Amino acid sequence: MHLRPLLPVGLLLFIVGTGSCLSCLLCKDLLDCKGNTTEKIECHMMEDVCFQIFHPETGAVFRRACGAPTVCDIYAKCSTCNVNDCNSSMNILPSFLMISLATVIAMKLF
């Protein structure tokens, strides 16, 4: 049996099959985003980052998904990251809270 003709097809399937797509957590509104989101999605080719959009007054997350690197350009409180499932509230919220706390302390001191 001649397997040589199948070699290019097998190599192509291996390359396509091992391609790495970014995966992000998904939620679509305040209720959906409450707590830790467990639904994961695979990002499309042009979606290079995971993002979280925060409510401007409460700081609560109201959207998580995949997006282009410029997705946060139109939102006051938004963050992006580029590691699988990095847009969970546990990854970003503590640093957001620490920055807010440091700002409040600095304002009180000066």
Side-chain angles (χ1 to χ4, degrees), residues 11-98:
L11 185 60
L12 179 63
L13 288 174
F14 176 76
I15 291 170
V16 171
T18 59
S20 59
C21 290
L22 182 65
S23 69
C24 299
L25 301 178
L26 174 68
C27 64
K28 299 175 184 172
D29 57 38
L30 281 170
L31 290 176
D32 193 23
C33 293
K34 201 171 196 170
N36 238 0
T37 304
T38 56
E39 184 178 357
K40 295 180 183 183
I41 57 170
E42 294 291 321
C43 300
H44 296 288
M45 186 182 262
M46 299 304 289
E47 297 173 323
D48 298 335
V49 298
C50 300
F51 69 88
Q52 286 191 111
I53 302 171
F54 301 90
H55 189 279
E57 294 172 10
T58 65
V61 176
F62 70 88
R63 180 97 164 105
R64 289 186 182 116
C66 301
T70 57
V71 69
C72 285
D73 290 354
I74 60 171
Y75 296 100
K77 293 184 179 179
C78 181
S79 62
T80 61
C81 54
N82 59 3
V83 178
N84 285 339
D85 309 326
C86 60
N87 62 336
S88 74
S89 60
M90 295 302 160
N91 290 338
I92 296 173
L93 192 55
S95 62
F96 178 73
L97 290 175
M98 291 303 290

